[in-house]
Amino acid sequence: MHDIPRRTLLKATAAFGLVSGLGLAMPIFAATKIKPDGKSALIVVDVQNCFIDGGTLPVKGGAEVVPVINKLAGSFGNIVVTQDWHTPGHASFASSYPGKKPFETTRLSYGTQVLWPDHCVQGTDDAALDKDLKLPTAQLIIRKGFHKDMDSYSAFEEADHKTATGLGGYLKQRGIKKVFVTGLATDFCVAWTAMDARKAGFEVYVIEDATRAIDLNGSLAAAWKQMAAKGVKRIQSADIESA
Ligand code: VGL
Ligand code: ZN
């Protein structure tokens, strides 16, 4: 006889818990959309012919970042674009070392260097930005990797971790505090740019679906781990409030 009310009470409690759980989840979810402000900059890394199908170092799915970045651009008042911009016979090219093949490594004065196919040579069509990338409001194009004897994955500093590109100073003088990194490739130029942006004191987000990776011997998983350890936030383009 006492069983009936007790069972009803339990059912009611369970139902109430579920409803209040959902009710609570909704406002938190909505509040997490990020609205870029005047102190935010979108950095578009190396969306160049060389890293897209038909180029010299194509990244799988590289072209897929283009519409995602074009859409994101509408949400940002400050946009910086980078270009990998190597000399002919660059130190990062396997062809510069007799007997070496692309994707092998060598030791250079600043550490281990992955050797790449010849790519993004200054002034070539291969080094041009993808023609479908539409960033009419971008304010700066910064080129990197132009010293013959040194690579520069990062848009902030070259591979010796000493030579600055000037991007950190530019962003600071423009009052930028937060950077949102997109482009190619997630595990090389995007990751190094994001980590060096942290080092320079910026709040840093990588917009994952606006990047694609080379993923050489587990480099993608390693890069995400290193970025997380340095406080880089991993988000999706849907987390950014649309324009
Ligand atoms: C890149 C390898 C060599 C990049 C540039 O943009 O991620 N990767 N050069
Ligand atoms: Zn390069």
Side-chain angles (χ1 to χ4, degrees):
M1 208 181 147
H2 290 301
D3 271 6
I4 297 158
R6 199 191 299 147
R7 227 186 290 136
T8 309
L9 184 69
L10 282 171
K11 254 193 229 162
T13 307
F16 180 74
L18 188 67
V19 169
S20 71
L22 283 172
L24 203 68
M26 288 300 287
I28 287 172
F29 194 66
T32 58
K33 283 258 180 187
I34 298 164
K35 191 175 166 55
D37 58 14
K39 294 177 174 162
S40 309
L42 180 69
I43 302 183
V44 180
V45 176
D46 298 2
V47 182
Q48 294 165 268
N49 293 333
C50 31
F51 298 116
I52 288 176
D53 280 342
T56 48
L57 179 45
V59 178
K60 198 165 176 284
E64 292 163 14
V65 305
V66 174
V68 182
I69 292 170
N70 287 348
K71 180 164 184 281
L72 279 168
S75 300
F76 285 85
N78 300 296
I79 303 175
V80 170
V81 175
T82 78
Q83 275 179 300
D84 211 33
W85 200 251
H86 298 310
T87 60
H90 191 256
S92 73
F93 296 172
S95 64
S96 302
Y97 308 87
K100 285 287 192 184
K101 288 196 284 294
F103 309 108
E104 292 179 354
T105 59
T106 194
R107 293 286 302 173
L108 295 181
S109 60
Y110 50 79
T112 302
Q113 172 70 51
V114 178
L115 296 175
W116 304 104
D118 290 24
H119 67 281
C120 299
V121 172
Q122 298 169 358
T124 62
D125 187 53
D126 191 56
L129 295 170
D130 180 81
K131 67 173 183 356
D132 296 323
L133 191 68
K134 296 280 187 275
L135 301 173
T137 62
Q139 296 152 349
L140 175 74
I141 298 177
I142 187 152
R143 291 167 168 172
K144 61 186 179 60
F146 52 72
H147 288 127
K148 193 171 192 287
D149 298 323
M150 187 158 43
D151 207 356
S152 189
Y153 295 146
S154 164
F156 288 88
E157 58 184 41
E158 303 194 28
D160 63 355
H161 296 293
K162 286 187 189 77
T163 310
T165 64
L167 181 59
Y170 169 86
L171 293 172
K172 280 178 188 168
Q173 287 204 311
R174 297 280 323 279
I176 301 298
K177 306 277 186 217
K178 288 180 235 177
V179 299
F180 295 77
V181 189
T182 62
L184 306 170
T186 325
D187 41 350
F188 289 92
C189 293
V190 168
W192 287 50
T193 296
M195 291 191 284
D196 283 347
R198 284 292 298 144
K199 197 168 152 187
F202 297 98
E203 188 175 326
V204 182
Y205 299 81
V206 169
I207 308 177
E208 183 174 15
D209 59 324
T211 73
R212 289 293 183 280
I214 294 174
D215 204 9
L216 193 63
N217 307 316
S219 57
L220 180 59
W224 280 121
K225 211 172 155 187
Q226 287 167 14
M227 286 192 278
K230 292 191 157 58
V232 172
K233 294 173 187 140
R234 179 178 183 170
I235 61 167
Q236 307 301 317
S237 59
D239 297 327
I240 305 282
E241 198 167 297
S242 311

